[in-house]
């Protein structure tokens, strides 16, 4: 979105995931990828900047954590007995946010 600084998104992503300083290149790469996914999902719809930032942060958080969830199984550092399956869809947490904002997209669209 126009007028939204990447620094705002970086700060919110760090807060969301508890990422200390460092990993700046990886964070910025995930944010750029998340922007591409979210912009494609939003399309021509007009949404509030705060909603867009929230969607980008949610998507970037999922992308950032995907390193620890290869093949949809989260490596949570446990003894291996409790497999946690997560979605491979990078927009999984974004779809309900967009629907709540009135953007008819994702799996709920019927043409």
């Amino acid at each position: 979105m126009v007028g939204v600084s990447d620094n705002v998104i970086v700060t919110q992503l760090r807060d969301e995931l508890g990422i200390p300083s460092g990993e700046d290149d990886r964070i910025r790469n995930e944010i750029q990828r998340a922007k591409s996914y979210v912009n494609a999902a939003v399309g021509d719809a007009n949404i509030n900047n705060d909603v867009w930032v929230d969607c980008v942060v949610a998507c970037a958080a999922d992308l950032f954590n995907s390193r620890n969830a290869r093949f949809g199984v989260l490596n949570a550092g446990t003894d291996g007995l409790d497999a946690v399956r997560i979605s491979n869809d990078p927009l999984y947490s974004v779809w309900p946010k967009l629907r709540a904002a009135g953007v008819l997209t994702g799996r709920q669209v019927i043409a």
Side-chain angles (χ1 to χ4, degrees):
M1 305 283 325
V2 177
V4 177
S5 166
D6 277 358
N7 292 333
V8 169
I9 299 171
V10 167
T11 300
Q12 288 189 22
L13 180 60
R14 283 186 184 281
D15 183 56
E16 178 76 18
L17 296 178
I19 303 169
S21 61
E23 301 210 47
D24 293 339
D25 290 339
R26 183 172 170 216
I27 289 170
R28 294 213 182 264
N29 288 338
E30 301 304 359
I31 288 171
Q32 291 310 310
R33 289 176 43 208
K35 285 180 179 181
S36 295
Y37 284 124
V38 171
N39 288 340
V42 169
D44 293 334
N46 186 16
I47 64 171
N48 180 291
N49 279 354
D50 292 336
V51 173
W52 182 82
V53 168
D54 186 35
C55 290
V56 170
V57 169
C59 182
D62 290 344
L63 292 169
F64 188 89
N65 283 328
S66 69
R67 179 184 285 182
N68 296 328
R70 294 294 180 209
F71 306 112
V73 179
L74 178 64
N75 177 3
T78 63
D79 59 8
L81 297 177
D82 298 324
V84 178
R85 301 221 179 263
I86 64 170
S87 174
N88 288 327
D89 180 357
L91 293 170
Y92 183 77
S93 60
V94 174
W95 298 127
K97 294 172 188 285
L98 291 177
R99 283 193 304 274
V103 179
L104 299 178
T105 186
R107 292 173 269 170
Q108 301 299 320
V109 173
I110 299 173

